[in-house]
Amino acid sequence: MTTSLPRPLHAFDPSELATAAENRRWPKWQTMALLHSLGLPVLNACVIEPGHGAAEVRTAARVLAAAVGTRTLMIRSDGGVEKKQYYRGGNTFLIEEIPSRSSALLSDGRAVILAEPTNRFTNRLTVLARLDRPGRGQRGTFTLEALGPGYDVADLTRGQIPPQVTAQLDDVDFDRFQAPRWNEWQITEDLCPGGEDARRQRRLQRLAAQTLTDSGHLHNHADAPHAEAWLRERGFLHLFGPQPTRELLARRTGRLFEDAFVLARSQPNQNWHCLATAFSVFDKPRTVYWDLVDGERKYAATTPAAPLKERAA
């Protein structure tokens, strides 16, 4: 993988993409390069490895910001094989703030991934796609878990917020593509009384405790009512409106299934048991894949085993 700075991902030529997609030192960056090389939509981004200082970070931020035409950038980070506790990125900052926000991550031996900004408060649809099988050559299950307007990927992967809609295919042969018939999908919807209110409250609590405090929008003792007021004051009303998640997901099940096969065949570890990727539909609208994760290889071997859903995420 090339470490020259600054190089936005979307400026890589095919050979550079192939090199980045084969290097597993920084798994998030590797899979972003892999996804992009396969023609799947990903955010434009650049990686800054440990050992680089504020000057390199500043240069990378300015070049990427100029490439995408923005004054803000998202900060993600990559620690390689992760411990259970690590920096939860995804927030957006002014480019002037990027060096100071990145310094502690680099000092801790983590790579910093700068990406074009997104508005995590106005997403239309968020999907976690999982491929599960007992072993290579054996049939398995393809599952889509979805949340609708106003939610984001972190709610599904680490927010312990249950999906509104789940779509599942059983007896899938991941070695031979066959488009499923519509009646083969098992689609379930969470219609529990009070379930959506509880889900929304959990989302607001996460925003108050993590997202809005980390980005400096709320103080450290903010709670769910503060987060709701902040969203409403800025016109970010998606979370409080209709949640047509079943219909939004149904439009994309076929394409997500096709993409999953492409991802499975491109996975370096063909002995995988559980693969997962996250998919977002932004408000513009625009679609983006985030990462491709081998559920058994995300965390260090010394870490106690996580529940299946968390390992996949």
Side-chain angles (χ1 to χ4, degrees):
M1 178 179 66
T2 181
T3 58
S4 59
L5 291 174
R7 290 298 310 283
L9 179 65
H10 290 190
F12 280 25
D13 63 32
S15 64
E16 291 172 319
L17 273 179
T19 299
E22 291 172 358
N23 190 314
R24 296 181 56 195
R25 176 62 186 91
W26 308 113
K28 289 180 184 177
W29 180 249
Q30 175 210 3
T31 60
M32 290 181 75
L34 175 62
L35 289 162
H36 188 48
S37 72
L38 296 171
L40 298 177
V42 295
L43 296 174
N44 201 357
C46 63
V47 63
I48 305 160
E49 298 186 5
H52 292 287
E56 289 91 347
V57 174
R58 190 175 299 110
T59 300
R62 288 174 177 171
V63 170
L64 179 61
V68 299
T70 182
R71 289 284 301 162
T72 60
L73 292 172
M74 178 193 303
I75 294 181
R76 305 183 74 200
S77 77
D78 198 334
V81 178
E82 296 285 9
K83 300 176 181 178
K84 289 297 295 298
Q85 298 297 324
Y86 63 92
Y87 177 73
R88 309 300 188 179
N91 283 335
T92 296
F93 305 96
L94 291 169
I95 58 173
E96 292 81 6
E97 299 179 67
I98 297 296
S100 61
R101 293 275 181 174
S102 302
S103 60
L105 295 169
L106 294 171
S107 297
D108 197 34
R110 301 185 64 84
V112 170
I113 298 174
L114 302 181
E116 56 184 301
T118 66
N119 187 336
R120 65 195 313 173
F121 314 115
T122 61
N123 293 329
R124 293 186 179 187
L125 179 68
T126 295
V127 182
L128 178 65
R130 279 182 38 181
L131 297 75
D132 293 279
R133 66 180 185 182
R136 187 171 187 175
Q138 301 184 53
R139 291 177 176 269
T141 303
F142 179 64
T143 307
L144 300 172
E145 298 179 340
L147 291 170
Y151 293 93
D152 71 13
V153 167
D155 293 321
L156 284 171
T157 59
R158 57 178 179 262
Q160 299 180 336
I161 295 180
Q164 294 163 327
V165 180
T166 301
Q168 183 170 301
L169 286 171
D170 293 325
D171 198 32
V172 178
D173 183 353
F174 289 109
D175 294 316
R176 184 173 65 88
F177 177 80
Q178 183 174 353
R181 300 181 180 90
W182 179 246
N183 62 0
E184 292 178 310
W185 287 96
Q186 301 173 43
I187 300 180
T188 57
E189 193 169 0
D190 183 0
L191 299 176
C192 177
E196 192 53 46
D197 288 340
R199 188 180 285 105
R200 186 182 300 111
Q201 187 70 12
R202 179 79 179 187
R203 165 69 168 162
L204 291 170
Q205 289 170 349
R206 284 196 65 254
L207 290 178
Q210 300 174 23
T211 306
L212 294 175
T213 51
D214 180 59
S215 57
H217 295 299
L218 292 179
H219 57 77
N220 290 333
H221 301 292
D223 55 16
H226 291 100
E228 179 172 353
W230 188 92
L231 291 173
R232 290 187 180 279
E233 287 170 3
R234 287 154 182 81
F236 299 148
L237 305 179
H238 299 61
L239 186 65
F240 312 106
Q243 294 285 322
T245 311
R246 185 186 182 106
E247 293 79 6
L248 292 169
L249 179 62
R251 297 174 196 165
R252 290 179 165 81
T253 52
R255 178 58 185 272
L256 289 167
F257 184 71
E258 293 175 9
D259 291 348
F261 262 81
V262 173
L263 294 174
R265 296 304 295 270
S266 67
Q267 178 69 8
N269 172 29
Q270 282 298 302
N271 294 315
W272 59 267
H273 290 82
C274 177
L275 299 178
T277 186
F279 174 83
S280 295
V281 181
F282 299 148
D283 193 41
K284 291 186 178 180
R286 176 188 178 188
T287 60
V288 162
Y289 280 98
W290 293 89
D291 302 313
L292 176 62
V293 176
D294 184 333
E296 296 180 348
R297 298 190 174 193
K298 179 171 183 177
Y299 297 114
T302 55
T303 304
L308 176 61
K309 179 175 179 179
E310 186 173 359
R311 287 192 288 118

